[in-house]
Amino acid sequence: MATASASRVPSRAPTVAPATTAPIAYLPALSAKSLDQASSAALQKVLDDLVKAGAPDAIAAVITADGQWSGAAGIDGPGGRVAKPGDAFNIASTSKTVLAALVLRLAQDGKLNLD
């Protein structure tokens, strides 16, 4: 069985771009108010439809400059407990994709050097 040699694989960590680039802009302050009733009802319908289509439960949150919303639908677990908006759930490897997209965007904008 062949084994890979560690010396064949370069291991260079990403480097930060020179300080001459503009700083990364952070998100502006978001609204703490609730979304309007029509938007909230439409978002809740999406969760309800997911459960009707066969998902055991669905939990979501939306945060925009116009307001916030969170909702839940379905049964959470074998005990028959109704899902609630504040329930915690495992996001699995979803954050890896978001982080990869962020890193590539920073590299595209010249704020991170991948070489």
Side-chain angles (χ1 to χ4, degrees):
M1 174 186 281
T3 59
S5 170
S7 62
R8 291 187 206 166
V9 180
S11 62
R12 289 188 265 162
T15 57
V16 177
T20 56
T21 60
I24 298 170
Y26 294 101
L27 289 173
L30 296 172
S31 174
K33 68 179 184 174
S34 296
L35 281 177
D36 62 89
Q37 195 169 13
S39 296
S40 296
L43 290 166
Q44 184 61 48
K45 183 176 180 334
V46 171
L47 298 183
D48 294 338
D49 289 348
L50 284 169
V51 171
K52 286 179 188 171
D57 68 306
I59 305 165
V62 174
I63 303 170
T64 72
D66 296 326
Q68 303 179 22
W69 172 85
S70 63
I75 304 299
D76 180 26
R81 188 178 74 77
V82 174
K84 297 179 179 140
D87 288 348
F89 57 94
N90 188 347
I91 62 169
S93 292
T94 305
S95 61
K96 292 176 189 173
T97 304
V98 174
L99 179 61
L102 173 62
V103 167
L104 291 174
R105 179 63 185 263
L106 290 171
Q108 178 184 7
D109 292 348
K111 296 181 174 144
L112 183 70
N113 183 354
L114 298 176
D115 292 328

